[in-house]
Amino acid sequence: MMGVGKSTLAKIVSKRADLKFIDTDLNIEKKLSMKISEIFKKKGEIFFRKQEEKEVLESLKKNKCVIALGGGAFLNKNVREIILRESISIWLDIDLKTLAKRVKWNNKRPLLDGEDALSKIKKLYTERKKIYRLAQHRINCNNLNKEIISKKIISIYEKQ
């Protein structure tokens, strides 16, 4: 889910595990020379999702890396099936009030435009959690700092 800390944690884990770090949203922004919010406004969500699928599939072909996906990438059935078959998937879960606080003032979240953050996050979370639950691992991030969470993620990788 957006705002849970995927990019921050993936950077920490990749550095500690000596793996390449890939942030698919950042790669899309670089390739299109636009922020995600700008892509949504100018090109639309469907265009973005196509770019996202392409970027994620390219990233998944690489070895020895930690990939931070955008919050909607795992919803794509094609992407999800490849991840579940060929990679390690981890759902970083956190309570909705914490998420709302994290994204409240962040204008980088195009799916939150026009509504109060908490109600939109509740709606997105409710829609997405049945898909997120398909991930091979789930880490409840409530009341945990990034050091503890990154150690849990590394532990998952080491067991594979």
Side-chain angles (χ1 to χ4, degrees), residues 30-47:
K30 286 178 188 173
K31 287 179 180 176
L32 297 178
S33 300
M34 286 190 265
K35 296 289 182 190
I36 300 297
S37 57
E38 193 178 354
I39 297 167
F40 267 70
K41 286 177 187 167
K42 292 183 177 180
K43 305 273 188 176
E45 184 175 359
I46 293 170
F47 174 85

Side-chain angles (χ1 to χ4, degrees), residues 28-153:
I28 293 167
E29 288 180 341
K30 286 178 188 173
K31 287 179 180 176
L32 297 178
S33 300
M34 286 190 265
K35 296 289 182 190
I36 300 297
S37 57
E38 193 178 354
I39 297 167
F40 267 70
K41 286 177 187 167
K42 292 183 177 180
K43 305 273 188 176
E45 184 175 359
I46 293 170
F47 174 85
F48 171 75
R49 295 299 175 199
K50 287 179 184 176
Q51 297 303 307
E52 180 179 57
E53 178 179 24
K54 182 178 166 186
E55 182 61 36
V56 172
L57 293 177
E58 285 176 24
S59 298
L60 288 169
K61 292 177 185 175
K62 299 176 180 163
N63 293 316
K64 297 187 178 190
C65 58
V66 177
I67 304 171
L69 298 178
F74 198 70
L75 303 176
N76 177 307
K77 185 179 180 188
N78 187 33
V79 166
R80 184 175 59 255
E81 287 176 351
I82 292 170
I83 290 170
L84 293 173
R85 188 174 59 244
E86 300 176 12
S87 300
I88 299 168
S89 58
I90 302 170
W91 172 26
L92 301 175
D93 195 11
I94 198 163
D95 69 85
L96 300 180
K97 287 183 181 180
T98 302
L99 275 179
K101 286 177 191 173
R102 289 184 182 184
V103 301
K104 185 176 183 178
W105 305 110
N106 188 332
N107 61 359
K108 295 180 187 178
R109 312 289 181 186
L111 292 177
L112 298 181
D113 282 351
E115 291 187 45
D116 83 272
L118 185 57
S119 65
K120 185 62 174 181
I121 285 171
K122 282 180 182 177
K123 183 178 180 216
L124 282 173
Y125 183 82
T126 300
E127 292 168 356
R128 293 177 172 190
K129 71 179 175 182
K130 60 183 163 264
I131 301 294
Y132 289 164
R133 283 183 178 146
L134 299 173
Q136 295 145 331
H137 304 275
R138 176 181 175 258
I139 297 175
N140 183 328
C141 300
N142 294 321
N143 304 311
L144 299 179
N145 65 37
K146 59 187 174 187
E147 295 300 317
I148 294 170
I149 298 166
S150 63
K151 285 178 183 177
K152 286 182 175 229
I153 294 169

